[in-house]
């Protein structure tokens, strides 16, 4: 049972069926003050309706959700944004929070998660779906809290060291994903974090660093 106060919600999605499903789920608990299928004139609609929380897709026909979020946060800093997206790739999730998002809910599980996401965001907490890999959740929370994450500390996590070792040994992203039982998008996320942490971009430099750490050899 949802016990939080009713929030004023604005829904943005280019799929009418998705909007209607969200409205049916949320209307018993919250007030839907507006909806849109594109980002066009979104700023004006937000100024007029004054919602507490915006639920928004990333992929829209005229402007992506990241750009829209950055714009809305500039004109209305108090608005809270929950991204509702089909994308589970780590880069999409990280960018959503960099753009000012307070929550991220996969469309696949939106029916089960939206009310919880709204409650947490109302309580000034971040919401990350349980479907998001733990390492991505940790990176996002560190970034949002201003804590020293991998990109600032210059140190690699054990998982990142595993990825670096396999990269240095010449394995492809697909091979690494199979060997570590993770998705290719998660491999790409780890490689991005490694590059940010070390400031090294070429495979030769990454290999030298792996050798220096003692997790790989030149043989």
């Amino acid at each position: 049972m949802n016990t939080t106060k009713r929030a004023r919600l604005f829904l943005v999605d280019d799929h009418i069926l998705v909007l209607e499903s969200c409205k049916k789920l949320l209307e018993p608990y919250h007030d839907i003050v507006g909806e849109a299928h594109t980002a066009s004139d979104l700023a004006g609609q937000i100024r007029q309706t004054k919602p507490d929380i915006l639920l928004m897709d990333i992929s829209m026909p005229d402007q992506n959700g990241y750009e829209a979020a950055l714009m809305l946060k500039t004109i209305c800093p108090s608005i809270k944004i929950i991204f509702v997206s089909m994308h589970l790739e780590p880069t999409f999730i990280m960018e959503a929070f960099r753009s000012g998002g307070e929550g991220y809910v996969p469309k696949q599980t939106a029916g089960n998660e939206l009310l919880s996401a709204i409650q947490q965001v109302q309580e000034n907490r971040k919401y990350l779906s349980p479907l998001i890999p733990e390492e991505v959740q940790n990176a996002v929370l560190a970034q949002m809290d201003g804590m020293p994450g991998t990109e600032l500390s210059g140190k690699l996590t054990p998982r990142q060291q595993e990825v670096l070792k396999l990269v240095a040994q010449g394995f492809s992203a697909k091979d690494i994903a199979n060997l570590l039982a993770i998705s290719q998008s998660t491999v790409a996320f780890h490689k991005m974090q490694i590059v940010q942490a070390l400031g090294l971009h070429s495979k030769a430099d990454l290999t030298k660093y792996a050798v220096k750490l003692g997790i790989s050899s030149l043989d």
Side-chain angles (χ1 to χ4, degrees), residues 171-180 182-184 187:
F171 287 95
S172 68
K174 182 178 180 180
D175 292 333
I176 295 173
N178 290 334
L179 286 167
L180 299 181
I182 58 179
S183 69
Q184 289 190 56
V187 173

Side-chain angles (χ1 to χ4, degrees), residues 6-10 30-33 48-54 122:
R6 294 180 73 90
R8 294 171 56 81
L9 306 179
F10 194 104
H30 300 287
D31 299 322
I32 312 299
V33 298
Q48 182 178 4
T49 57
K50 296 180 173 60
D52 302 310
I53 299 174
L54 177 74
Q122 281 185 292

Side-chain angles (χ1 to χ4, degrees), residues 69-81:
L70 288 168
M71 177 267 294
L72 292 173
K73 282 289 189 176
T74 299
I75 66 171
C76 187
S78 64
I79 193 171
K80 297 180 178 180
I81 299 173

Side-chain angles (χ1 to χ4, degrees), residues 10 131 143 176 202 215:
F10 194 104
L131 287 184
Q143 174 183 276
I176 295 173
S202 72
I215 60 176

